[in-house]
Amino acid sequence: MLNEDTTRMTSRLLYLLKRLSDEWYCNELCHAQLEGFNNSYIPLFMSIGTKGISNSKLASNLSITKQAASKVIKELEELELVRSEKCCTDGRSMMLYLTDKGISFYEHIKSQMETLEQEYKKEVGAKNYETAINVMLKLVEYHEHLNKAVKV
């Protein structure tokens, strides 16, 4: 039996939220038809968006290395969800775009996520949901700053 201290332990809650969210992704996003698609691709895939993004900007936005982003992008290209082109203003940079198949899948995931967000708002109230999002953004910012200080 969990006591009050254990029930509210941040590490436990983050672990459970991640595990249960991953389970929801598997069950609800209906990507079984995309053999080879992994839930870990979702943040990168969705961050490309419908307008495209450079590999460097994508890596920076997600606080991962360019090499890690490139590995996932290569796998998304093999699934024919993403294409890359040299940037017209900087020949050293690669721009990433969703293919037609990628756009269709992007819209599907976006719709499913919007539905989930509406369910969250029903569960906790719109104001509490927005507060939770703002708190998560601040915690991410805190850890980004903390991690940059450690690397120096």
Side-chain angles (χ1 to χ4, degrees):
M1 183 170 185
L2 296 174
N3 63 34
E4 178 69 18
D5 291 338
T6 306
T7 301
R8 298 182 60 83
M9 189 181 301
T10 304
S11 59
R12 175 184 174 276
L13 293 171
L14 290 172
Y15 165 78
L16 287 172
L17 186 58
K18 169 83 169 93
R19 186 177 62 78
L20 294 169
S21 296
D22 285 348
E23 189 175 316
W24 180 85
Y25 289 148
C26 287
N27 294 332
E28 298 297 323
L29 290 182
C30 306
H31 57 69
Q33 72 273 14
L34 289 174
E35 188 175 326
F37 189 88
N38 184 312
N39 285 339
S40 66
Y41 300 167
I42 292 173
L44 281 90
F45 177 74
M46 295 304 287
S47 293
I48 293 169
T50 56
K51 305 242 188 266
I53 191 170
S54 73
N55 189 40
S56 297
K57 181 74 172 159
L58 178 66
S60 174
N61 287 352
L62 294 172
S63 297
I64 60 175
T65 65
K66 286 188 254 183
Q67 293 81 3
S70 293
K71 180 182 183 300
V72 173
I73 295 306
K74 180 176 236 161
E75 292 169 9
L76 290 170
E77 285 177 324
E78 289 171 7
L79 293 170
E80 300 177 347
L81 297 172
V82 172
R83 65 182 170 78
S84 57
E85 298 176 4
K86 283 199 184 239
C87 180
C88 60
T89 58
D90 180 2
R92 299 169 297 158
S93 183
M94 293 300 286
M95 292 297 297
L96 307 168
Y97 300 97
L98 299 178
T99 62
D100 289 343
K101 180 179 174 182
I103 290 170
S104 176
F105 189 54
Y106 173 91
E107 293 298 334
H108 171 72
I109 291 175
K110 183 178 174 190
S111 171
Q112 294 292 325
M113 294 303 295
E114 287 170 351
T115 299
L116 179 62
E117 288 175 7
Q118 291 306 314
E119 292 297 317
Y120 284 167
K121 288 175 184 177
K122 283 183 199 171
E123 189 68 28
V124 301
K127 186 175 180 180
N128 284 337
Y129 178 76
E130 290 304 318
T131 299
I133 294 296
N134 290 333
V135 168
M136 286 190 287
L137 288 168
K138 291 297 273 181
L139 292 175
V140 166
E141 184 180 308
Y142 169 79
H143 279 281
E144 286 175 339
H145 177 74
L146 189 66
N147 290 346
K148 286 178 184 173
V150 170
K151 290 178 183 177
V152 173

